[in-house]
Amino acid sequence: MESKNISIRKFKSIDSSKLCEIIKRNLIEINSKDYPKEIIDGMCSRFVPENMIENAKKRDIYVAELNGELIGTASLENNIIYGVFVDVNYHGCGVGKKLMSIIEDNAKENSVNLVQVPSSITSQNFYYKLGYNYVKEVETPDSGRCIIVEKTL
């Protein structure tokens, strides 16, 4: 699969169920290697279609598609990038990189010159490869350990 075949578009409410499935599968199959079950269960309980639709009122949410199939998502609220998830079957295929490029372009168009990502332990190396730098580490009862990374655009 070539990343040029991946299209990125704005989120529609009808996308919410499929995107929540993609996110939960990532949390359970991938992030669970770095986080305890109670953190993963709590995060999964928050990724429901209603919450995603509500978030879309304040965030620019993007989706990645391949041949009409949703395979990833990422969102931007002010200068914070949230919810970067790619279908586990497409990890390493350039989907996340393409989503991040669109998000960064959107931020620049809105005069944002510095973006931050509250990264999971699992994803931090992905962001480092894209030129993000470590800022600090935080821990919350809901999300566990989080690495804040940032990039000047």
Side-chain angles (χ1 to χ4, degrees), residues 23-61:
I23 292 167
K24 288 178 184 181
R25 184 171 174 209
N26 267 276
L27 291 170
I28 292 165
E29 294 182 22
I30 308 298
N31 294 68
S32 63
K33 296 170 186 158
D34 296 315
Y35 291 91
K37 183 180 183 335
E38 54 274 6
I39 293 290
I40 297 296
D41 289 348
M43 291 178 79
C44 283
S45 72
R46 291 191 298 278
F47 283 103
V48 295
E50 301 78 23
N51 290 351
M52 184 163 271
I53 292 167
E54 194 61 31
N55 281 338
K57 294 176 183 175
K58 59 186 176 191
R59 295 180 184 168
D60 290 326
I61 301 177

Side-chain angles (χ1 to χ4, degrees), residues 48-105:
V48 295
E50 301 78 23
N51 290 351
M52 184 163 271
I53 292 167
E54 194 61 31
N55 281 338
K57 294 176 183 175
K58 59 186 176 191
R59 295 180 184 168
D60 290 326
I61 301 177
Y62 294 88
V63 298
E65 283 184 315
L66 179 64
N67 301 323
E69 177 189 357
L70 296 181
I71 59 170
T73 186
S75 63
L76 176 69
E77 183 178 346
N78 301 315
N79 73 321
I80 309 293
I81 299 171
Y82 293 104
V84 181
F85 288 96
V86 174
D87 184 310
V88 296
N89 297 323
Y90 295 96
H91 282 193
C93 296
V95 180
K97 185 176 180 179
K98 195 162 190 172
L99 278 162
M100 290 298 291
S101 177
I102 295 290
I103 291 273
E104 290 171 5
D105 288 347

